[in-house]
């Protein structure tokens, strides 16, 4: 049976841990991110967290229902990191591109955590705030509800897919990651034009491009397509979205 989460005001009155640290949700999340960075997903256990925080592992269940609940909170914290400092300018395409790149950057800054959380849906506050913001940007720009949802899905899935892909590469052991990156400058660059003409033709460009994330390019292509659709809707006289609250 899932553990009952103790209300925040009762948690604050708890005694410090053996080392004098007062537990909080934020401290647990920060420690969990550190453990993921140092040990990968296999290293994130209640026992290891308890050791790192100098507390009994059971104390964690006053803040989270279990390790899966903690995982969802980690993903929500990454989205919160992306939202922090993001402000709407009123130019919908610029605003969505900026938010998409911020979400991507937040996830790849914690690659092990990103691999663990990018595919999850938490329903927590930061995730809801990001979803509400993207939907409102699109509706305010003039997309009808059905098109808003379609573009929203493509936008958020593209952003998170590249976050997961790039994070998975960064989470590899250094030697494996360097070997993968070097493949474009070794094997691909040495292929004969007689057998692989298009690879040989573009080898230098591939070597330079393929070690970088395609997330900015993918977002630009997606938003360009959405911008053309919005222009078509305007020509057809589609009903615009409501003004921003």
């Amino acid at each position: 049976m899932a553990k009952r989460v103790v209300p925040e005001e009762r948690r604050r009155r708890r005694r410090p841990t053996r080392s004098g640290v007062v537990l909080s949700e934020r401290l647990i999340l920060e420690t969990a991110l550190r453990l993921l960075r140092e040990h990968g997903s296999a290293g994130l256990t209640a026992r290891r967290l308890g050791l790192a925080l100098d507390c009994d592992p059971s104390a964690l269940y006053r803040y989270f229902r279990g390790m899966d609940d903690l995982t969802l909170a980690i993903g929500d914290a990454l989205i919160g990191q992306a939202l922090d400092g993001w402000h709407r300018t009123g130019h919908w395409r610029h605003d969505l591109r900026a938010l998409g790149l911020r979400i991507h950057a937040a996830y790849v800054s914690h690659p092990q955590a990103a691999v663990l959380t990018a595919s999850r849906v938490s329903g927590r506050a930061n995730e809801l705030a990001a979803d509400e913001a993207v939907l409102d940007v699109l509706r305010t720009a003039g997309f009808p509800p059905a098109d808003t949802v379609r573009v929203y899905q493509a936008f958020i899935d593209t952003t998170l897919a590249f976050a997961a892909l790039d994070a998975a590469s960064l989470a590899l052991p250094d030697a494996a990651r360097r070997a993968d990156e070097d493949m474009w400058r070794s094997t691909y660059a040495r292929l004969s034009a007689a057998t692989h003409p298009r690879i040989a033709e573009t080898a230098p460009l591939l070597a330079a491009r393929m070690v970088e994330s395609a997330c900015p390019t993918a977002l630009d292509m997606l938003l360009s397509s959405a911008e053309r659709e919005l222009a078509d809707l305007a020509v057809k006289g589609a009903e615009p979205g409501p003004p921003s609250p």
Side-chain angles (χ1 to χ4, degrees), residues 7-20:
E8 180 68 28
E9 62 273 12
R10 288 180 57 191
R11 294 181 232 156
R12 291 195 184 114
R13 292 198 296 269
R14 281 183 55 80
R15 291 176 299 175
T17 64
R18 291 183 292 269
S19 61

Side-chain angles (χ1 to χ4, degrees), residues 82-88 94-96 98-100 102 133-134 137:
L83 288 173
D84 186 23
W86 176 75
H87 303 288
R88 291 169 64 168
H94 173 274
D95 292 344
L96 288 187
L99 180 57
R102 290 181 70 90
V134 173
V137 166

Side-chain angles (χ1 to χ4, degrees), residues 61-181:
Y61 296 108
R62 298 180 65 87
Y63 299 84
F64 302 98
R65 293 181 177 87
M67 294 306 293
D68 192 63
D69 191 38
L70 174 59
T71 297
L72 297 178
I74 290 170
D76 194 63
L78 296 181
I79 296 176
Q81 179 180 320
L83 288 173
D84 186 23
W86 176 75
H87 303 288
R88 291 169 64 168
T89 66
H91 301 283
W92 72 268
R93 178 172 172 172
H94 173 274
D95 292 344
L96 288 187
R97 186 181 192 274
L99 180 57
L101 293 179
R102 290 181 70 90
I103 292 173
H104 178 268
Y107 274 89
V108 298
S109 68
H110 298 280
Q112 293 82 6
V115 171
L116 197 62
T117 64
S119 63
R120 302 300 302 276
V121 181
S122 73
R124 286 173 167 261
N126 291 318
E127 180 183 274
L128 295 175
D131 290 345
E132 177 68 19
V134 173
L135 292 168
D136 188 58
V137 166
L138 292 169
R139 283 294 281 143
T140 304
F143 289 93
D147 294 296
T148 291
V149 171
R150 185 169 53 84
V151 175
Y152 155 80
Q153 181 191 30
F155 169 80
I156 201 66
D157 281 4
T158 296
T159 301
L160 291 176
F162 276 102
L165 177 67
D166 295 336
S169 177
L170 291 172
L172 288 171
D174 290 343
R177 187 175 68 254
R178 287 194 298 268
D180 284 358
E181 293 176 351

